[in-house]
Amino acid sequence: MIDDVARDRVPALMAEAGELALRWFRQDPAALGELDKGRPGAYDPVTEADKAVEGFLREELSRLFPGDRVIGEEAGTSGSGASGRTWLIDPIDGTKAFVSGVPMWGVLLGLSVGDDPVAGWLRQPYLGETFGAIDGEGWFDGPHGRAPLRVRPTTELGEAVMYTTHPSMFETDEERAAFGRISTAVRLQRFGGDCYSYGLLALGQLDLVVENGLQPYDVGALIPIVRAAGGVITDRAGRTPVDGGFVVAAATPELHAAALAALDG
Protein backbone atom coordinates (compact mmCIF):
# COMPACT_ATOMS: atom_id res chain seq x y z
CA MET A 1 0.00 0.00 0.00
CA ILE A 2 2.68 2.51 1.06
CA ASP A 3 5.89 2.76 -0.92
CA ASP A 4 9.33 3.11 0.64
CA VAL A 5 9.59 6.78 -0.28
CA ALA A 6 6.53 7.59 1.82
CA ARG A 7 7.70 5.44 4.73
CA ASP A 8 11.16 7.00 4.71
CA ARG A 9 10.41 10.64 3.93
CA VAL A 10 7.09 11.48 5.59
CA PRO A 11 8.30 11.26 9.23
CA ALA A 12 11.00 13.82 8.48
CA LEU A 13 8.49 16.07 6.71
CA MET A 14 6.18 15.92 9.71
CA ALA A 15 9.00 16.78 12.09
CA GLU A 16 9.99 19.75 9.94
CA ALA A 17 6.37 20.89 9.63
CA GLY A 18 6.05 20.75 13.41
CA GLU A 19 9.14 22.86 13.94
CA LEU A 20 7.77 25.36 11.45
CA ALA A 21 4.51 25.61 13.42
CA LEU A 22 6.42 26.24 16.65
CA ARG A 23 7.80 29.50 15.25
CA TRP A 24 4.35 30.99 15.93
CA PHE A 25 3.21 29.00 18.97
CA ARG A 26 2.92 31.04 22.19
CA GLN A 27 4.06 34.15 20.41
CA ASP A 28 2.43 37.58 20.36
CA PRO A 29 -1.20 36.97 19.22
CA ALA A 30 -1.07 40.14 17.17
CA ALA A 31 1.69 38.57 15.09
CA LEU A 32 -0.31 35.47 14.25
CA GLY A 33 -2.19 37.13 11.41
CA GLU A 34 -5.57 35.81 12.52
CA LEU A 35 -8.54 36.06 10.19
CA ASP A 36 -12.21 35.30 10.71
CA LYS A 37 -14.07 33.20 8.17
CA GLY A 38 -17.17 31.03 8.03
CA ARG A 39 -20.53 31.81 9.63
CA PRO A 40 -21.28 35.42 10.57
CA GLY A 41 -20.37 35.92 14.20
CA ALA A 42 -18.26 32.75 14.39
CA TYR A 43 -14.60 32.94 15.30
CA ASP A 44 -12.61 30.62 13.07
CA PRO A 45 -8.97 31.71 13.22
CA VAL A 46 -6.45 31.13 10.49
CA THR A 47 -2.84 31.90 11.39
CA GLU A 48 0.38 32.39 9.51
CA ALA A 49 1.39 29.01 10.93
CA ASP A 50 -1.58 27.31 9.20
CA LYS A 51 -0.61 28.78 5.87
CA ALA A 52 3.12 28.16 6.21
CA VAL A 53 2.80 24.54 7.35
CA GLU A 54 0.34 23.63 4.62
CA GLY A 55 2.43 25.38 1.99
CA PHE A 56 5.52 23.47 3.06
CA LEU A 57 3.82 20.07 3.13
CA ARG A 58 1.97 20.66 -0.15
CA GLU A 59 5.17 21.64 -1.95
CA GLU A 60 7.16 18.67 -0.62
CA LEU A 61 4.44 16.11 -1.27
CA SER A 62 3.90 17.40 -4.80
CA ARG A 63 7.63 17.13 -5.46
CA LEU A 64 7.98 13.62 -4.01
CA PHE A 65 4.71 12.22 -5.39
CA PRO A 66 3.86 14.15 -8.57
CA GLY A 67 0.98 11.85 -9.56
CA ASP A 68 -0.83 12.20 -6.24
CA ARG A 69 -3.65 14.54 -5.29
CA VAL A 70 -3.14 16.86 -2.31
CA ILE A 71 -6.08 18.33 -0.37
CA GLY A 72 -5.46 20.91 2.34
CA GLU A 73 -7.64 22.99 4.61
CA GLU A 74 -6.29 26.33 3.47
CA ALA A 75 -5.54 25.98 -0.26
CA GLY A 76 -7.91 23.26 -1.45
CA THR A 77 -6.94 20.64 -4.03
CA SER A 78 -3.88 20.33 -6.23
CA GLY A 79 -2.34 17.52 -8.26
CA SER A 80 -3.81 15.22 -10.87
CA GLY A 81 -4.56 12.24 -8.66
CA ALA A 82 -3.59 9.94 -11.54
CA SER A 83 -1.92 7.60 -9.05
CA GLY A 84 -5.18 7.03 -7.17
CA ARG A 85 -3.59 8.37 -3.98
CA THR A 86 -4.71 11.43 -2.02
CA TRP A 87 -2.90 13.27 0.76
CA LEU A 88 -5.02 15.17 3.30
CA ILE A 89 -3.39 18.05 5.20
CA ASP A 90 -4.71 19.83 8.26
CA PRO A 91 -1.75 22.10 9.02
CA ILE A 92 -2.89 23.11 12.51
CA ASP A 93 -5.79 20.99 13.74
CA GLY A 94 -6.94 22.81 16.83
CA THR A 95 -6.13 26.38 15.78
CA LYS A 96 -8.19 27.81 18.66
CA ALA A 97 -6.04 25.84 21.11
CA PHE A 98 -2.95 26.99 19.19
CA VAL A 99 -3.80 30.68 19.51
CA SER A 100 -4.62 30.11 23.20
CA GLY A 101 -1.19 28.61 23.90
CA VAL A 102 -2.64 25.17 24.73
CA PRO A 103 -0.57 22.26 23.30
CA MET A 104 -3.56 20.08 22.39
CA TRP A 105 -3.28 20.72 18.66
CA GLY A 106 -1.45 18.86 15.96
CA VAL A 107 -0.20 18.75 12.40
CA LEU A 108 -2.24 16.11 10.55
CA LEU A 109 -1.34 14.24 7.37
CA GLY A 110 -3.41 11.39 6.00
CA LEU A 111 -3.03 9.19 2.93
CA SER A 112 -5.87 7.44 1.12
CA VAL A 113 -5.74 5.00 -1.76
CA GLY A 114 -9.04 5.43 -3.54
CA ASP A 115 -11.55 5.77 -0.71
CA ASP A 116 -9.47 3.71 1.74
CA PRO A 117 -7.54 5.63 4.45
CA VAL A 118 -4.28 3.65 4.69
CA ALA A 119 -1.88 5.87 6.63
CA GLY A 120 -1.93 8.78 9.03
CA TRP A 121 0.39 10.93 11.09
CA LEU A 122 -0.38 13.28 14.00
CA ARG A 123 2.56 15.41 15.10
CA GLN A 124 2.46 17.45 18.32
CA PRO A 125 5.84 19.21 18.19
CA TYR A 126 5.66 21.14 21.47
CA LEU A 127 5.36 17.84 23.37
CA GLY A 128 7.69 16.03 20.97
CA GLU A 129 5.09 13.40 20.13
CA THR A 130 4.01 11.60 16.96
CA PHE A 131 1.11 9.19 16.54
CA GLY A 132 1.38 7.21 13.32
CA ALA A 133 -0.15 4.34 11.41
CA ILE A 134 0.70 2.64 8.13
CA ASP A 135 -1.20 -0.31 6.68
CA GLY A 136 -2.71 -1.29 10.04
CA GLU A 137 0.43 -0.91 12.15
CA GLY A 138 0.31 1.92 14.67
CA TRP A 139 2.93 3.47 16.94
CA PHE A 140 3.59 6.35 19.29
CA ASP A 141 6.92 8.20 19.35
CA GLY A 142 7.49 10.32 22.43
CA PRO A 143 10.25 11.59 24.71
CA HIS A 144 10.80 8.07 26.07
CA GLY A 145 10.98 6.29 22.73
CA ARG A 146 8.56 4.28 20.62
CA ALA A 147 5.60 2.24 21.84
CA PRO A 148 2.80 0.43 20.01
CA LEU A 149 -0.65 1.99 19.97
CA ARG A 150 -3.25 -0.01 21.89
CA VAL A 151 -6.74 1.03 22.99
CA ARG A 152 -8.20 0.22 26.39
CA PRO A 153 -10.60 -2.75 26.71
CA THR A 154 -13.54 -0.64 27.92
CA THR A 155 -16.92 -1.97 26.73
CA GLU A 156 -19.47 -0.14 28.94
CA LEU A 157 -20.54 3.48 28.56
CA GLY A 158 -20.72 3.79 32.31
CA GLU A 159 -16.99 3.10 32.53
CA ALA A 160 -15.95 5.30 29.62
CA VAL A 161 -13.94 8.52 29.57
CA MET A 162 -15.24 10.66 26.71
CA TYR A 163 -13.71 13.72 25.05
CA THR A 164 -15.36 16.29 22.82
CA THR A 165 -13.67 19.45 21.61
CA HIS A 166 -16.69 21.63 22.45
CA PRO A 167 -20.46 21.10 22.82
CA SER A 168 -21.11 23.91 20.31
CA MET A 169 -20.21 21.34 17.62
CA PHE A 170 -23.77 20.03 18.01
CA GLU A 171 -25.98 22.65 16.40
CA THR A 172 -29.49 21.26 15.92
CA ASP A 173 -31.95 20.39 18.67
CA GLU A 174 -31.70 16.71 17.74
CA GLU A 175 -27.88 16.75 17.84
CA ARG A 176 -27.85 18.48 21.22
CA ALA A 177 -30.35 15.98 22.60
CA ALA A 178 -28.26 13.06 21.28
CA PHE A 179 -25.11 14.51 22.78
CA GLY A 180 -26.90 15.07 26.07
CA ARG A 181 -27.90 11.40 26.22
CA ILE A 182 -24.37 10.11 25.73
CA SER A 183 -22.86 12.74 28.01
CA THR A 184 -24.97 11.59 30.95
CA ALA A 185 -24.22 7.92 30.25
CA VAL A 186 -20.41 8.04 30.42
CA ARG A 187 -18.27 7.93 33.53
CA LEU A 188 -16.30 11.11 32.81
CA GLN A 189 -16.69 13.79 30.17
CA ARG A 190 -14.05 16.35 29.28
CA PHE A 191 -13.81 19.10 26.65
CA GLY A 192 -10.93 20.17 24.41
CA GLY A 193 -8.39 18.10 22.61
CA ASP A 194 -9.21 18.41 18.91
CA CYS A 195 -7.12 15.81 17.05
CA TYR A 196 -5.03 15.06 20.14
CA SER A 197 -8.02 13.31 21.78
CA TYR A 198 -7.98 10.67 19.04
CA GLY A 199 -4.28 10.11 19.65
CA LEU A 200 -4.94 9.62 23.36
CA LEU A 201 -7.72 7.16 22.57
CA ALA A 202 -5.29 5.17 20.41
CA LEU A 203 -2.71 5.33 23.21
CA GLY A 204 -5.16 3.85 25.73
CA GLN A 205 -5.65 7.00 27.81
CA LEU A 206 -9.36 7.55 27.11
CA ASP A 207 -12.21 5.54 25.63
CA LEU A 208 -14.50 7.60 23.46
CA VAL A 209 -14.44 10.70 21.22
CA VAL A 210 -17.71 12.13 19.89
CA GLU A 211 -17.66 15.17 17.60
CA ASN A 212 -19.59 16.84 14.81
CA GLY A 213 -18.96 19.16 11.89
CA LEU A 214 -15.61 17.65 10.91
CA GLN A 215 -14.12 18.03 7.44
CA PRO A 216 -12.28 15.27 5.52
CA TYR A 217 -8.90 16.78 6.37
CA ASP A 218 -9.86 16.82 10.09
CA VAL A 219 -10.26 13.05 10.22
CA GLY A 220 -8.34 11.57 7.28
CA ALA A 221 -5.16 11.04 9.31
CA LEU A 222 -7.01 9.86 12.41
CA ILE A 223 -8.97 6.96 10.91
CA PRO A 224 -5.84 4.80 10.32
CA ILE A 225 -4.43 5.71 13.74
CA VAL A 226 -7.56 4.70 15.68
CA ARG A 227 -8.01 1.53 13.64
CA ALA A 228 -4.37 0.46 13.99
CA ALA A 229 -4.73 0.72 17.78
CA GLY A 230 -7.70 -1.64 17.70
CA GLY A 231 -10.39 1.02 17.97
CA VAL A 232 -13.48 1.75 15.91
CA ILE A 233 -14.16 5.05 14.16
CA THR A 234 -17.25 5.75 12.06
CA ASP A 235 -19.85 8.36 11.34
CA ARG A 236 -23.17 8.23 13.14
CA ALA A 237 -24.52 5.77 10.57
CA GLY A 238 -21.62 3.36 11.13
CA ARG A 239 -19.75 4.21 7.92
CA THR A 240 -16.08 5.07 7.52
CA PRO A 241 -16.09 8.86 8.08
CA VAL A 242 -13.97 9.84 5.07
CA ASP A 243 -16.22 12.85 4.51
CA GLY A 244 -16.06 13.97 8.13
CA GLY A 245 -19.35 15.06 9.66
CA PHE A 246 -20.57 13.42 12.88
CA VAL A 247 -17.75 11.15 14.11
CA VAL A 248 -17.76 8.53 16.86
CA ALA A 249 -14.45 6.92 17.83
CA ALA A 250 -14.42 4.21 20.49
CA ALA A 251 -11.92 1.86 22.08
CA THR A 252 -13.90 -1.34 21.40
CA PRO A 253 -16.69 -2.52 19.10
CA GLU A 254 -18.94 -3.03 22.13
CA LEU A 255 -18.40 0.52 23.36
CA HIS A 256 -18.89 1.89 19.87
CA ALA A 257 -22.22 0.07 19.53
CA ALA A 258 -23.33 1.36 22.93
CA ALA A 259 -22.36 4.91 21.94
CA LEU A 260 -24.36 4.77 18.71
CA ALA A 261 -27.35 3.37 20.60
CA ALA A 262 -27.19 6.18 23.16
CA LEU A 263 -26.96 8.80 20.42
CA ASP A 264 -29.99 7.35 18.68
CA GLY A 265 -31.95 7.23 21.91
Side-chain angles (χ1 to χ4, degrees), residues 211-231:
E211 303 199 298
N212 190 30
L214 301 189
Q215 298 296 322
Y217 44 75
D218 292 319
V219 73
L222 303 174
I223 297 169
I225 291 172
V226 171
R227 286 178 169 177

Side-chain angles (χ1 to χ4, degrees), residues 25-242:
F25 186 55
R26 292 185 176 173
Q27 302 303 309
D28 179 3
L32 291 173
E34 297 167 14
L35 304 171
D36 287 341
K37 63 180 183 179
R39 303 187 312 275
Y43 180 58
D44 190 5
V46 178
T47 72
E48 293 301 320
D50 290 274
K51 293 181 282 188
V53 170
E54 181 171 322
F56 165 74
L57 286 173
R58 184 182 296 273
E59 180 178 353
E60 289 299 308
L61 292 169
S62 298
R63 179 179 63 82
L64 290 169
F65 312 106
D68 293 4
R69 178 180 290 108
V70 180
I71 299 175
E73 179 178 15
E74 306 306 329
T77 301
S78 61
S80 68
S83 66
R85 305 198 320 178
T86 300
W87 297 90
L88 292 161
I89 304 170
D90 193 341
I92 306 289
D93 185 272
T95 307
K96 293 175 184 177
F98 184 92
V99 301
S100 303
V102 177
M104 294 186 75
W105 53 273
V107 180
L108 293 181
L109 181 63
L111 176 61
S112 294
V113 177
D115 293 328
D116 185 20
V118 297
W121 294 262
L122 188 174
R123 176 67 178 167
Q124 211 312 309
Y126 189 79
L127 300 177
E129 296 177 347
T130 300
F131 303 82
I134 296 177
D135 290 341
E137 178 184 355
W139 68 91
F140 170 73
D141 285 324
H144 302 295
R146 174 166 290 198
L149 293 176
R150 184 65 59 196
V151 294
R152 294 202 292 205
T154 307
T155 60
E156 302 290 334
L157 275 179
E159 297 298 319
V161 174
M162 182 178 81
Y163 262 68
T164 302
T165 297
H166 198 271
S168 63
M169 302 175 103
F170 307 94
E171 297 184 336
T172 69
D173 289 343
E174 190 282 328
E175 289 170 351
R176 286 190 288 270
F179 183 66
R181 287 192 295 271
I182 197 168
S183 298
T184 57
V186 297
R187 181 181 186 181
L188 174 64
Q189 178 188 4
R190 302 292 294 171
F191 296 122
D194 295 283
C195 62
Y196 195 70
S197 296
Y198 297 83
L200 292 178
L201 187 151
L203 195 60
Q205 301 300 303
L206 55 94
D207 307 295
L208 189 62
V209 183
V210 178
E211 303 199 298
N212 190 30
L214 301 189
Q215 298 296 322
Y217 44 75
D218 292 319
V219 73
L222 303 174
I223 297 169
I225 291 172
V226 171
R227 286 178 169 177
V232 181
I233 179 169
T234 73
D235 65 13
R236 194 171 169 183
R239 301 168 299 206
T240 301
V242 292

